[in-house]
Amino acid sequence: MAKARRTRPSLYFSVDIEADGPIPGPYSMLSIGAAVAGRQDADGYTAADPEENTFYRELRPISTDFVPEALAVSGLDRERLRVEGAEPEAAVRDFTAWVRDAAAAAGAQPVMCGYPAAYDWTFLYWYLIRFTGESPFGHSGCLDMKTLYAAKAGLPLRAVAKGTMPRHLLSRRRHTHHALDDALEQADLLTNLMTWPGPGLSRP
């Protein structure tokens, strides 16, 4: 009789980045915020208090190019960051160490989560590979909360927006476009989605 394959636990990191353009390389990641949202194993999902284990850095821009509209979203000052921002290599090495320490303490594999994840993952993964040569999440350890909701709700992905979600799934925190604030907000959303049984099965 074959032995049951052991499920390796996952530790979910809610991550939000602010950048000054649409793609990394020509444009810069200016801040990164992250929070441990919860742990999942074969027995289910266990939420964490996202405020208990967080990470935040503001980074020096890597180019002179930027899109004013993108920069305005975050409200960050590029000129200040040119002087005060962390060197990108140091920032992402600190981030990697923080992720690995948290995952090791939880006995789990790290997974990056975002809403939507595509933009934040693109910048984060590019910076990790460019400045450290590796990613603590591997090349595919990424969970998109928008896709998670669409699958649970039985909706087409392009029909999904936070404004169409049941209110009880949304965080009570404000979305401020400060990377750490938004990572905390997203951590709440992830926990609510992970524990949501789906439409028609929700608690009153």
Side-chain angles (χ1 to χ4, degrees):
M1 182 175 177
K3 292 183 179 178
R5 187 175 180 181
R6 183 181 178 188
T7 300
R8 298 186 67 184
S10 292
L11 188 68
Y12 295 106
F13 293 82
S14 173
V15 180
D16 185 81
I17 70 98
E18 298 296 332
D20 61 13
I23 58 172
Y27 304 102
S28 305
M29 180 169 71
L30 300 180
S31 66
I32 176 172
V36 174
R39 182 182 186 275
Q40 186 177 26
D41 59 22
D43 295 322
Y45 178 84
T46 302
D49 178 351
E51 295 186 8
E52 284 190 358
N53 198 354
T54 64
F55 180 93
Y56 182 73
R57 290 288 188 281
E58 294 181 353
L59 289 72
R60 181 181 59 78
I62 61 172
S63 79
T64 58
D65 295 333
F66 67 96
V67 177
E69 294 82 1
L71 183 62
V73 169
S74 69
L76 291 167
D77 184 337
R78 276 177 53 93
E79 291 305 309
R80 178 182 66 80
L81 293 178
R82 285 179 57 195
V83 177
E84 300 178 3
E87 289 296 323
E89 180 176 349
V92 294
R93 286 196 184 280
D94 287 349
F95 175 75
T96 295
W98 174 75
V99 168
R100 286 181 170 156
D101 287 349
Q109 294 179 295
V111 176
M112 178 272 189
C113 307
Y115 185 97
Y119 181 77
D120 303 82
W121 174 260
T122 298
F123 272 89
L124 180 64
Y125 187 74
W126 188 94
Y127 265 70
L128 287 165
I129 299 302
R130 170 67 180 82
F131 292 107
T132 72
E134 58 183 343
S135 163
F137 307 106
H139 68 278
S140 62
C142 174
L143 184 151
D144 176 36
M145 293 181 225
K146 190 171 185 177
T147 303
L148 177 61
Y149 174 75
K152 282 200 164 190
L155 294 172
L157 182 65
R158 297 304 292 268
V160 172
K162 285 184 181 177
T164 66
M165 289 184 178
R167 291 184 62 85
H168 66 85
L169 293 178
L170 302 176
S171 174
R172 295 180 180 180
R173 305 176 200 265
R174 291 178 56 240
H175 190 82
T176 66
H177 292 290
H178 181 284
L180 183 54
D181 288 347
D182 293 353
L184 293 170
E185 178 208 9
Q186 291 176 174
D188 293 339
L189 175 61
L190 177 68
T191 289
N192 292 339
L193 287 172
M194 293 293 280
T195 56
W196 181 48
L201 300 173
S202 303
R203 294 183 299 273

